[in-house]
Amino acid sequence: MRGALFFIFMTFASFSTVIAVFENLLAGYIDNLGWSRKKAAAVNCIVVFFASLPCALGYNIWSGLQLIGERNVLDSEDFLVSNLFVPIGSILFILFCVTKWGWGFDSYLEEANTGKGLKVSKYLKYYFRFVLPVLILIIFIQGLR
């Protein structure tokens, strides 16, 4: 009985997480593209359905399919996300936050230091601008091996 309750509660927890993530996607389409909520929800349902197919079929119908080298579908997805998308996204994000071609360090500092809690020091400007991108680039290169 406890096992069944555990999985029921985990199902509700996963639904609340999916709804929260889905709501951000909907808000982006509604605010940036001016779409209606119905249209945004329909498009996102279709995108999520097709994006979920590799995960659903990776160890079933597509279990023999090899994409990147000797990797199966799910291992290829893991490689792409962990070793390519996350480091590249991190470099783009940090450069956007701290360079004049993006948001700029002063705007980043003002936003990051809003509210209570820990504050980001203005002395970290060169660390964010030069050291962090190099460290992320090293992680990126290590991940490609």
Side-chain angles (χ1 to χ4, degrees), residues 10-114:
M10 286 301 293
T11 300
F12 285 117
S14 68
F15 283 152
S16 66
T17 302
V18 167
I19 289 170
V21 170
F22 202 70
E23 193 60 40
N24 286 327
L25 294 171
L26 292 180
Y29 283 116
I30 292 168
D31 293 344
N32 296 326
L33 300 176
W35 289 3
S36 69
R37 186 169 183 82
K38 266 186 181 176
K39 180 179 179 180
V43 168
N44 277 309
C45 281
I46 292 167
V47 169
V48 167
F49 174 79
F50 284 107
S52 300
L53 282 178
C55 185
L57 302 176
Y59 287 130
N60 295 315
I61 297 170
W62 294 350
S63 63
L65 184 63
Q66 294 181 343
L67 298 178
I68 301 174
E70 300 283 325
R71 295 180 176 98
N72 63 24
V73 174
L74 293 178
D75 289 340
S76 296
E77 276 187 344
D78 178 53
F79 173 79
L80 288 173
V81 170
S82 301
N83 298 341
L84 296 178
F85 298 159
V86 171
I88 290 170
S90 298
I91 288 175
L92 292 175
F93 180 75
I94 193 76
L95 291 177
F96 174 80
C97 286
V98 299
T99 61
K100 65 182 178 183
W101 299 287
W103 202 6
F105 187 75
D106 294 332
S107 298
Y108 165 75
L109 205 60
E110 181 182 338
E111 183 69 26
N113 290 334
T114 302

